[in-house]
Short mmCIF file of all heavy atoms in Angstrom, two decimals:
data_model
loop_
_atom_site.label_atom_id
_atom_site.label_comp_id
_atom_site.label_asym_id
_atom_site.label_seq_id
_atom_site.Cartn_x
_atom_site.Cartn_y
_atom_site.Cartn_z
N SER A 227 185.19 -18.08 131.97
CA SER A 227 186.32 -17.88 131.07
C SER A 227 187.40 -17.03 131.74
O SER A 227 187.61 -17.09 132.94
CB SER A 227 185.84 -17.29 129.74
OG SER A 227 186.86 -17.32 128.76
N ARG A 228 188.10 -16.21 130.96
CA ARG A 228 189.26 -15.48 131.45
C ARG A 228 188.97 -14.58 132.67
O ARG A 228 189.84 -14.46 133.55
CB ARG A 228 189.84 -14.65 130.30
CG ARG A 228 191.17 -13.99 130.61
CD ARG A 228 191.85 -13.53 129.32
NE ARG A 228 193.06 -12.76 129.57
CZ ARG A 228 193.13 -11.43 129.49
NH1 ARG A 228 192.06 -10.73 129.13
NH2 ARG A 228 194.27 -10.80 129.74
N PRO A 229 187.82 -13.93 132.76
CA PRO A 229 187.56 -13.10 133.95
C PRO A 229 187.60 -13.83 135.29
O PRO A 229 187.71 -13.19 136.33
CB PRO A 229 186.15 -12.53 133.66
CG PRO A 229 186.09 -12.47 132.17
CD PRO A 229 186.80 -13.71 131.70
N VAL A 230 187.51 -15.17 135.28
CA VAL A 230 187.67 -15.91 136.54
C VAL A 230 189.03 -15.59 137.15
O VAL A 230 189.15 -15.36 138.37
CB VAL A 230 187.52 -17.43 136.33
CG1 VAL A 230 187.82 -18.20 137.62
CG2 VAL A 230 186.13 -17.77 135.83
N GLY A 231 190.07 -15.58 136.31
CA GLY A 231 191.41 -15.25 136.79
C GLY A 231 191.48 -13.83 137.34
O GLY A 231 192.12 -13.58 138.37
N HIS A 232 190.80 -12.89 136.67
CA HIS A 232 190.77 -11.51 137.16
C HIS A 232 190.09 -11.44 138.52
O HIS A 232 190.51 -10.68 139.40
CB HIS A 232 190.03 -10.61 136.16
CG HIS A 232 190.70 -10.48 134.83
ND1 HIS A 232 192.04 -10.68 134.65
CD2 HIS A 232 190.20 -10.15 133.61
CE1 HIS A 232 192.35 -10.49 133.38
NE2 HIS A 232 191.25 -10.17 132.73
N CYS A 233 189.03 -12.23 138.69
CA CYS A 233 188.32 -12.24 139.97
C CYS A 233 189.22 -12.76 141.10
O CYS A 233 189.20 -12.23 142.21
CB CYS A 233 187.06 -13.11 139.88
SG CYS A 233 185.72 -12.36 138.93
N LEU A 234 189.99 -13.79 140.80
CA LEU A 234 190.90 -14.33 141.81
C LEU A 234 191.99 -13.32 142.17
O LEU A 234 192.38 -13.19 143.34
CB LEU A 234 191.53 -15.64 141.31
CG LEU A 234 190.56 -16.83 141.23
CD1 LEU A 234 191.20 -17.99 140.49
CD2 LEU A 234 190.11 -17.27 142.62
N GLU A 235 192.47 -12.58 141.17
CA GLU A 235 193.45 -11.52 141.44
C GLU A 235 192.83 -10.42 142.29
O GLU A 235 193.45 -9.92 143.23
CB GLU A 235 193.98 -10.94 140.13
CG GLU A 235 194.86 -11.87 139.32
CD GLU A 235 195.35 -11.22 138.04
OE1 GLU A 235 195.80 -10.05 138.09
OE2 GLU A 235 195.26 -11.87 136.97
N ALA A 236 191.62 -10.03 141.95
CA ALA A 236 190.93 -8.99 142.72
C ALA A 236 190.67 -9.47 144.15
O ALA A 236 190.81 -8.69 145.11
CB ALA A 236 189.61 -8.62 142.05
N ALA A 237 190.33 -10.73 144.30
CA ALA A 237 190.08 -11.29 145.64
C ALA A 237 191.35 -11.25 146.48
O ALA A 237 191.29 -10.98 147.70
CB ALA A 237 189.57 -12.73 145.52
N ALA A 238 192.50 -11.50 145.85
CA ALA A 238 193.77 -11.44 146.58
C ALA A 238 194.06 -10.02 147.04
O ALA A 238 194.53 -9.79 148.17
CB ALA A 238 194.90 -11.96 145.70
N VAL A 239 193.77 -9.04 146.17
CA VAL A 239 193.97 -7.63 146.54
C VAL A 239 193.05 -7.24 147.68
O VAL A 239 193.47 -6.63 148.68
CB VAL A 239 193.72 -6.72 145.31
CG1 VAL A 239 193.70 -5.25 145.72
CG2 VAL A 239 194.77 -6.96 144.24
N LEU A 240 191.78 -7.61 147.57
CA LEU A 240 190.79 -7.23 148.58
C LEU A 240 191.02 -7.93 149.91
O LEU A 240 190.70 -7.39 150.98
CB LEU A 240 189.39 -7.53 148.06
CG LEU A 240 188.90 -6.59 146.95
CD1 LEU A 240 187.77 -7.21 146.14
CD2 LEU A 240 188.46 -5.26 147.55
N SER A 241 191.59 -9.13 149.85
CA SER A 241 191.86 -9.87 151.09
C SER A 241 192.82 -9.10 151.99
O SER A 241 192.71 -9.16 153.23
CB SER A 241 192.44 -11.25 150.75
OG SER A 241 192.69 -12.00 151.91
N LYS A 242 193.75 -8.37 151.38
CA LYS A 242 194.70 -7.58 152.16
C LYS A 242 194.01 -6.42 152.88
O LYS A 242 194.56 -5.86 153.82
CB LYS A 242 195.80 -7.04 151.25
CG LYS A 242 196.67 -8.14 150.65
CD LYS A 242 197.68 -7.58 149.66
CE LYS A 242 198.50 -8.69 149.03
NZ LYS A 242 199.45 -8.18 147.99
N GLU A 243 192.80 -6.08 152.41
CA GLU A 243 192.02 -5.01 153.03
C GLU A 243 190.93 -5.57 153.94
O GLU A 243 190.04 -4.85 154.38
CB GLU A 243 191.42 -4.11 151.95
CG GLU A 243 192.45 -3.46 151.05
CD GLU A 243 191.83 -2.58 149.97
OE1 GLU A 243 190.75 -1.98 150.26
OE2 GLU A 243 192.40 -2.48 148.88
N GLY A 244 190.96 -6.88 154.16
CA GLY A 244 190.00 -7.49 155.08
C GLY A 244 188.70 -7.93 154.44
O GLY A 244 187.75 -8.32 155.14
N VAL A 245 188.63 -7.90 153.09
CA VAL A 245 187.41 -8.32 152.38
C VAL A 245 187.66 -9.69 151.77
O VAL A 245 188.58 -9.85 150.95
CB VAL A 245 187.03 -7.31 151.27
CG1 VAL A 245 185.83 -7.83 150.48
CG2 VAL A 245 186.74 -5.95 151.87
N GLU A 246 186.88 -10.68 152.14
CA GLU A 246 187.05 -12.05 151.63
C GLU A 246 185.98 -12.34 150.57
O GLU A 246 184.79 -12.39 150.86
CB GLU A 246 186.96 -13.06 152.77
CG GLU A 246 188.11 -12.94 153.79
CD GLU A 246 189.48 -13.13 153.14
OE1 GLU A 246 189.58 -13.91 152.15
OE2 GLU A 246 190.45 -12.50 153.61
N CYS A 247 186.44 -12.54 149.34
CA CYS A 247 185.54 -12.79 148.21
C CYS A 247 185.40 -14.30 147.96
O CYS A 247 186.40 -15.02 147.99
CB CYS A 247 186.08 -12.15 146.94
SG CYS A 247 186.34 -10.37 147.05
N GLU A 248 184.17 -14.72 147.71
CA GLU A 248 183.96 -16.09 147.23
C GLU A 248 183.89 -16.03 145.70
O GLU A 248 183.06 -15.32 145.14
CB GLU A 248 182.66 -16.66 147.80
CG GLU A 248 182.43 -18.11 147.38
CD GLU A 248 181.78 -18.93 148.48
OE1 GLU A 248 182.43 -19.13 149.53
OE2 GLU A 248 180.63 -19.35 148.30
N VAL A 249 184.78 -16.76 145.03
CA VAL A 249 184.87 -16.70 143.57
C VAL A 249 184.28 -17.97 142.97
O VAL A 249 184.74 -19.08 143.26
CB VAL A 249 186.33 -16.52 143.11
CG1 VAL A 249 186.39 -16.50 141.57
CG2 VAL A 249 186.92 -15.24 143.68
N ILE A 250 183.25 -17.79 142.13
CA ILE A 250 182.60 -18.92 141.48
C ILE A 250 182.94 -18.92 139.99
O ILE A 250 182.72 -17.93 139.29
CB ILE A 250 181.07 -18.87 141.65
CG1 ILE A 250 180.70 -19.00 143.14
CG2 ILE A 250 180.37 -19.96 140.83
CD1 ILE A 250 179.22 -18.88 143.43
N ASN A 251 183.51 -20.03 139.55
CA ASN A 251 183.79 -20.26 138.13
C ASN A 251 182.56 -20.94 137.54
O ASN A 251 182.29 -22.10 137.80
CB ASN A 251 185.03 -21.15 138.01
CG ASN A 251 185.34 -21.59 136.60
OD1 ASN A 251 184.72 -21.14 135.64
ND2 ASN A 251 186.30 -22.50 136.47
N LEU A 252 181.82 -20.21 136.73
CA LEU A 252 180.52 -20.70 136.25
C LEU A 252 180.65 -21.97 135.40
O LEU A 252 179.80 -22.85 135.45
CB LEU A 252 179.83 -19.59 135.46
CG LEU A 252 178.31 -19.59 135.39
CD1 LEU A 252 177.68 -19.64 136.77
CD2 LEU A 252 177.83 -18.37 134.63
N ARG A 253 181.71 -22.05 134.60
CA ARG A 253 182.00 -23.19 133.74
C ARG A 253 180.96 -23.43 132.64
O ARG A 253 181.30 -23.64 131.49
CB ARG A 253 182.16 -24.49 134.56
CG ARG A 253 183.50 -24.65 135.22
CD ARG A 253 183.55 -25.96 135.99
NE ARG A 253 184.90 -26.36 136.36
CZ ARG A 253 185.17 -27.39 137.14
NH1 ARG A 253 184.20 -28.12 137.65
NH2 ARG A 253 186.43 -27.70 137.43
N THR A 254 179.69 -23.46 133.00
CA THR A 254 178.62 -23.71 132.04
C THR A 254 177.67 -22.52 132.00
O THR A 254 177.20 -22.07 133.05
CB THR A 254 177.85 -24.99 132.39
OG1 THR A 254 178.75 -26.08 132.49
CG2 THR A 254 176.80 -25.30 131.34
N ILE A 255 177.38 -22.04 130.80
CA ILE A 255 176.43 -20.93 130.63
C ILE A 255 175.01 -21.47 130.54
O ILE A 255 174.07 -20.89 131.08
CB ILE A 255 176.78 -20.13 129.35
CG1 ILE A 255 178.25 -19.68 129.37
CG2 ILE A 255 175.84 -18.94 129.19
CD1 ILE A 255 178.63 -18.82 130.54
N ARG A 256 174.85 -22.60 129.83
CA ARG A 256 173.54 -23.23 129.72
C ARG A 256 173.72 -24.74 129.71
O ARG A 256 174.47 -25.24 128.87
CB ARG A 256 172.85 -22.78 128.41
CG ARG A 256 171.43 -23.33 128.28
CD ARG A 256 170.81 -22.91 126.94
NE ARG A 256 169.43 -23.31 126.92
CZ ARG A 256 168.39 -22.49 127.06
NH1 ARG A 256 168.59 -21.21 127.17
NH2 ARG A 256 167.16 -22.95 127.05
N PRO A 257 173.12 -25.49 130.65
CA PRO A 257 172.26 -25.03 131.74
C PRO A 257 173.08 -24.35 132.85
O PRO A 257 174.19 -24.81 133.15
CB PRO A 257 171.62 -26.32 132.26
CG PRO A 257 172.62 -27.38 131.92
CD PRO A 257 173.26 -26.96 130.63
N MET A 258 172.55 -23.29 133.41
CA MET A 258 173.27 -22.50 134.40
C MET A 258 173.07 -23.06 135.81
O MET A 258 171.95 -23.36 136.21
CB MET A 258 172.79 -21.04 134.34
CG MET A 258 173.59 -20.10 135.23
SD MET A 258 173.01 -18.40 135.06
CE MET A 258 173.72 -17.96 133.47
N ASP A 259 174.17 -23.20 136.53
CA ASP A 259 174.12 -23.72 137.90
C ASP A 259 173.80 -22.58 138.86
O ASP A 259 174.66 -22.09 139.59
CB ASP A 259 175.47 -24.37 138.24
CG ASP A 259 175.49 -24.98 139.64
OD1 ASP A 259 174.43 -25.00 140.30
OD2 ASP A 259 176.57 -25.43 140.07
N ILE A 260 172.55 -22.15 138.86
CA ILE A 260 172.16 -21.02 139.70
C ILE A 260 172.12 -21.42 141.17
O ILE A 260 172.26 -20.57 142.07
CB ILE A 260 170.80 -20.43 139.23
CG1 ILE A 260 170.68 -18.96 139.67
CG2 ILE A 260 169.64 -21.27 139.71
CD1 ILE A 260 171.67 -18.03 139.01
#
Side-chain angles (χ1 to χ4, degrees):
S227 191
R228 189 164 174 258
V230 174
H232 295 337
C233 287
L234 290 170
E235 290 180 47
V239 171
L240 288 160
S241 181
K242 295 175 182 177
E243 301 180 32
V245 176
E246 294 301 329
C247 303
E248 182 144 295
V249 178
I250 296 177
N251 174 7
L252 207 53
R253 280 180 164 173
T254 304
I255 306 301
R256 184 183 186 105
M258 186 178 285
D259 182 6
I260 204 66

